[in-house]
Amino acid sequence: MADSSFDIVSKVERQEVDNALNQAAKEISQRYDFKGVGASISWSGDKILMVANSEDRVKAVLDVFQSKLIKRGISLKALDAGEPQLSGKEYKIFASIKEGISQENAKKVAKIIRDEGPKGVKAQVQGDELRVSSKSRDDLQAVIALLKGKDFDFAMQFTNYR
C-alpha cells in the first residue's frame, strides 16, 4: 500500500484579508470614537497602512482590524504589525501578511515530528511547505494532534491529506 501524506503550509486567503480590511474600514468610518481623528485603514502596495492623529487611536484601528481577521478565521500569527510611527501630525502603523514557512521553522517542525512523533513518520521540507508521510493514517492523525498542541510563531494549516 502507498504511503499516506499531508502538507503543512502557512498560507493566508488574500480575499479574506481584503474582506476583513473592508469591514474594519467601514466600522472605523461609522464609530463615534473615531470621528474627527483622521482614522483610516487601507492597502499601501502589499502592506496595510493604518493612520490616525494619536498613538492610542492608531492602536485602536489595529485592534479593530485584528478582531475582523479573527472573525474571518485568519490567525493573528500571519499579521506582522509594526510599531506606531509619527509622520508629520499623524501616527502610522504598517502591517504585512506573512506567508510560507521559513527554512529554520520547517526544520524545527521536522525535528519535533522526528523526536516526539510516532516511529515511521517522515517529514521533508519542500520549498516553503513541509510534506509529512507515513504508512499509517493513524500516525498522521497523531502528528497533526501533536503539532496543534505546540505553539509556533507562524500560522499553520494542514492540506492535501490523502
Side-chain angles (χ1 to χ4, degrees):
M1 189 177 124
D3 283 2
S4 299
S5 68
F6 68 89
D7 294 335
I8 301 172
V9 298
S10 179
K11 289 193 171 33
V12 175
E13 191 72 39
R14 174 83 177 190
Q15 185 62 50
E16 290 297 322
V17 175
D18 207 33
N19 290 344
L21 187 130
N22 290 336
Q23 286 177 339
K26 186 173 183 185
E27 182 172 324
I28 289 164
S29 71
Q30 292 175 344
R31 268 182 40 182
Y32 179 77
D33 56 336
F34 286 118
K35 293 277 188 250
V37 296
S40 68
I41 182 170
S42 61
W43 285 105
S44 174
D46 60 346
K47 290 192 179 295
I48 298 161
L49 171 65
M50 291 160 265
V51 180
N53 68 359
S54 75
E55 191 173 345
D56 292 341
R57 288 291 104 207
V58 79
K59 284 182 178 175
V61 171
L62 175 62
D63 195 43
V64 168
F65 182 53
Q66 287 174 336
S67 71
K68 298 301 178 191
L69 286 174
I70 291 169
K71 281 184 183 167
R72 302 211 62 77
I74 297 171
S75 171
L76 291 183
K77 292 177 183 175
L79 181 69
D80 185 20
E83 289 299 310
Q85 302 165 338
L86 184 60
S87 170
K89 289 185 175 179
E90 54 191 19
Y91 284 85
K92 294 181 178 182
I93 294 180
F94 285 99
S96 59
I97 303 296
K98 296 186 290 189
E99 287 192 302
I101 302 173
S102 67
Q103 287 293 324
E104 58 267 9
N105 283 337
K107 287 178 183 171
K108 274 192 233 169
V109 173
K111 182 171 175 18
I112 288 172
I113 291 171
R114 257 195 323 276
D115 295 348
E116 301 176 30
K119 298 287 177 238
V121 176
K122 297 184 289 292
Q124 302 134 326
V125 178
Q126 296 179 333
D128 63 351
E129 57 186 48
L130 203 67
R131 165 80 39 96
V132 179
S133 57
S134 171
K135 293 212 180 306
S136 163
R137 285 182 165 228
D138 291 341
D139 288 350
L140 293 180
Q141 292 286 344
V143 168
I144 290 175
L146 169 74
L147 294 176
K148 281 186 176 177
K150 300 282 182 194
D151 186 35
F152 295 102
D153 58 350
F154 58 94
M156 183 187 307
Q157 295 89 29
F158 305 103
T159 59
N160 289 341
Y161 186 82
R162 47 175 92 105

